[in-house]
Amino acid sequence: MKVKKFILIIILFLSFLGIGSMLSNIQSNQADQLLEAYGLSNNTRYFKVQSKQTVGAFLRFLQKKYPKRKIQIHLASQHERNQTLIWSNHDVVTLPTENGRYFTRDDFKGKVSFAVLGQNARVKTLQVQNNQYVDLGNKYYTVIGTFKHYRQMKQNEYYLTTGPQQPTGRFKLQNYVIIIDSSVKISRQLAAHYGAKLKTPPFVKKHQNRKFSVVKEILLAIGLIIFAGSCNFFLALIDWETVKKTHLNGKLLLNWLVNRGIRIMLIELLLALAAYFFLCWRAFFSNTQHLLGLLLACWLLVSIAFTSSIFYLTRRSDPHA
């Protein structure tokens, strides 16, 4: 009996993990803050220019021409293949880091450039008194964070802030692919201003094609919920076998069933919370509150399944029911 219950409880835990993983897949594929795009949205476009102006001059132009429009710029280097410069005039999507943090709006305003690294960033770094720096030709940039390891992210890249007053703002614009996340209208205007051809990144096309392809994940999640409920039905059967062997009845039977039911529900609540913390550690969620709500809802449903099963078995065995 104990072995069977243990196996069913393990299966329930795996079901919770599976349900949470389905939500992770949905949020990874559908959220505007695409993980593949490092915080860029579905409006992202890109173009290349031959202008000899600096990155700082380009950003000053943006600030002057579009002072009230939200714009985020990623500048992918065409020579330093693993380097991307980032600038934004608003708070960017906070991306998950193994340690430290991702960039904030204030990081783009000052005179100092900061760095965030991929897990296996191909760039020279220097460790000084517990502080890490990116070393680019004896110019040093403080590392403020390292990304978590996710398959959607390129692990060998590194990211630097840029701004009109920052050292990276002196880099030449023609050495970078300009990736812009704003309204498509603004992207078209900028491309026309520089006489460039505006294009849609592959990750945006992929996202657009898969935007409504979440039926499989939803059906799998529903199937896992039903499967978890079935496990609780079998747990109820096991407890009922104990009742028949001990010949409990009346108040003793009621107290025993209540105690067993509360114990099972508490164990399963702990399993749901364990699944929540494990998934937050190992999977991507644009909103972890959705995960917590989903797992608690699943716990409630499987608890109802257990209670209903006990009630059904009790009524069936009562000749006066």
Side-chain angles (χ1 to χ4, degrees):
M1 289 289 187
K2 290 183 178 180
V3 174
K4 289 181 180 178
K5 292 184 77 171
F6 179 76
I7 292 173
L8 287 170
I9 287 172
I10 293 298
I11 292 173
L12 269 168
F13 177 65
L14 295 176
S15 297
F16 285 141
L17 289 179
I19 292 164
S21 298
M22 293 305 102
L23 178 63
S24 176
N25 290 342
I26 291 171
Q27 290 193 348
S28 295
N29 291 333
Q30 281 204 297
D32 280 341
Q33 56 266 33
L34 293 173
L35 194 60
E36 294 90 341
Y38 303 93
L40 298 173
S41 78
N42 231 14
N43 289 328
T44 302
R45 301 292 185 269
Y46 76 95
F47 59 93
K48 301 176 184 179
V49 301
Q50 298 301 321
S51 173
K52 294 183 179 180
Q53 73 177 149
T54 63
V55 169
F58 170 65
L59 298 178
R60 281 190 289 268
F61 169 71
L62 290 181
Q63 290 173 327
K64 183 178 179 181
K65 188 172 179 63
Y66 306 105
K68 296 182 180 180
R69 304 301 295 270
K70 287 186 176 182
I71 301 175
Q72 184 177 174
I73 299 292
H74 285 202
L75 300 170
S77 176
Q78 300 186 76
H79 303 296
E80 298 289 336
R81 289 294 182 181
N82 303 312
Q83 181 194 98
T84 299
L85 307 182
I86 297 179
W87 174 86
S88 179
N89 62 359
H90 62 94
D91 288 326
V92 297
V93 174
T94 299
L95 297 176
T97 52
E98 186 71 33
N99 51 64
R101 62 174 178 84
Y102 190 58
F103 303 127
T104 64
R105 183 178 183 178
D106 290 338
D107 293 328
F108 310 116
K109 293 180 178 179
K111 297 182 178 180
V112 178
S113 295
F114 299 100
V116 173
L117 307 180
Q119 285 274 333
N120 304 309
R122 294 180 182 175
V123 63
K124 184 179 179 181
T125 59
L126 183 68
Q127 197 83 19
V128 179
Q129 296 181 346
N130 296 323
N131 294 317
Q132 190 177 18
Y133 300 89
V134 168
D135 180 0
L136 297 180
N138 294 324
K139 293 181 180 178
Y140 303 96
Y141 304 91
T142 302
V143 176
I144 61 172
T146 303
F147 282 123
K148 280 189 175 181
H149 188 280
Y150 289 115
R151 60 182 176 80
Q152 294 94 334
M153 284 184 171
K154 295 179 181 178
Q155 298 300 315
N156 58 357
E157 296 195 358
Y158 65 98
Y159 305 84
L160 303 172
T161 61
T162 190
Q165 303 180 69
Q166 294 189 11
T168 51
R170 294 193 286 269
F171 295 173
K172 293 297 182 181
L173 192 62
Q174 63 183 359
N175 295 330
Y176 293 86
V177 175
I178 301 171
I179 304 169
I180 178 169
D181 181 9
S182 187
S183 71
V184 177
K185 180 180 178 181
I186 290 176
S187 300
R188 287 172 180 164
Q189 289 176 353
L190 282 173
H193 176 78
Y194 286 96
K197 183 178 180 180
L198 191 66
K199 298 181 180 180
T200 302
F203 72 83
V204 172
K205 292 179 180 178
K206 178 182 177 183
H207 175 256
Q208 291 171 341
N209 292 335
R210 297 185 62 182
K211 190 172 184 180
F212 301 104
S213 62
V214 296
V215 175
K216 181 178 71 173
E217 283 84 359
I218 293 173
L219 291 177
L220 282 171
I222 293 172
L224 286 169
I225 292 172
I226 294 172
F227 185 66
S230 300
C231 287
N232 261 7
F233 174 73
F234 287 114
L235 283 172
L237 281 177
I238 291 172
D239 280 346
W240 194 249
E241 287 296 321
T242 303
V243 168
K244 290 196 295 185
K245 289 179 180 178
T246 55
H247 305 290
L248 292 172
N249 54 56
K251 287 186 177 180
L252 287 176
L253 173 61
L254 179 62
N255 290 336
W256 189 87
L257 290 175
V258 169
N259 289 333
R260 299 293 286 190
I262 291 174
R263 182 186 299 179
I264 286 291
M265 285 187 278
L266 287 176
I267 290 172
E268 290 175 355
L269 177 59
L270 290 175
L271 292 177
L273 293 175
Y276 168 76
F277 288 112
F278 180 82
L279 288 166
C280 286
W281 174 47
R282 297 300 300 175
F284 168 77
F285 296 92
S286 60
N287 191 328
T288 55
Q289 290 182 350
H290 292 169
L291 173 64
L292 181 61
L294 176 63
L295 290 176
L296 289 178
C298 293
W299 167 74
L300 182 61
L301 289 172
V302 297
S303 297
I304 291 172
F306 180 83
T307 305
S308 300
S309 299
I310 290 293
F311 181 76
Y312 167 74
L313 292 169
T314 303
R315 296 279 292 179
R316 192 182 68 170
S317 66
D318 186 354
H320 304 293

